[in-house]
Amino acid sequence: MDITLPELEQAINYWRALRPSTGEECALSPEVNALADVYAVMIYNRCHSLPFGELGQAAQQLVEAWRRQEN
């Protein structure tokens, strides 16, 4: 199973709504930060999708939680 860039964007937006940025510096929540790291690497490498298994454990759990709420 792969995760596509648009799916990752949706997962990031889901977590941003649940855990918005905080403080004067608008720091990302740990959840958003974990997914944003994956997003940045995909953009840099011009990947349109990534095998789910290549995500770190934290990112996998966050994506799975987002997918569960989507259904």
Side-chain angles (χ1 to χ4, degrees):
M1 170 174 62
D2 288 352
I3 178 127
T4 65
L5 203 53
E7 288 174 323
L8 188 55
E9 290 171 350
Q10 291 174 17
I12 289 170
N13 289 333
Y14 168 77
W15 285 104
R16 283 182 62 218
L18 287 180
R19 299 284 312 268
S21 300
T22 59
E24 288 183 29
E25 68 283 354
C26 294
L28 298 176
S29 69
E31 295 86 354
V32 173
N33 197 44
L35 295 175
D37 287 345
V38 175
Y39 185 81
V41 170
M42 288 178 73
I43 293 293
Y44 181 80
N45 291 320
R46 297 183 175 140
C47 297
H48 297 284
S49 65
L50 190 67
F52 189 73
E54 289 187 20
L55 299 177
Q57 183 178 3
Q60 285 182 13
Q61 291 173 343
L62 293 167
V63 168
E64 287 172 344
W66 163 73
R67 284 182 170 156
R68 279 193 302 272
Q69 71 80 32
E70 284 289 299
N71 294 325

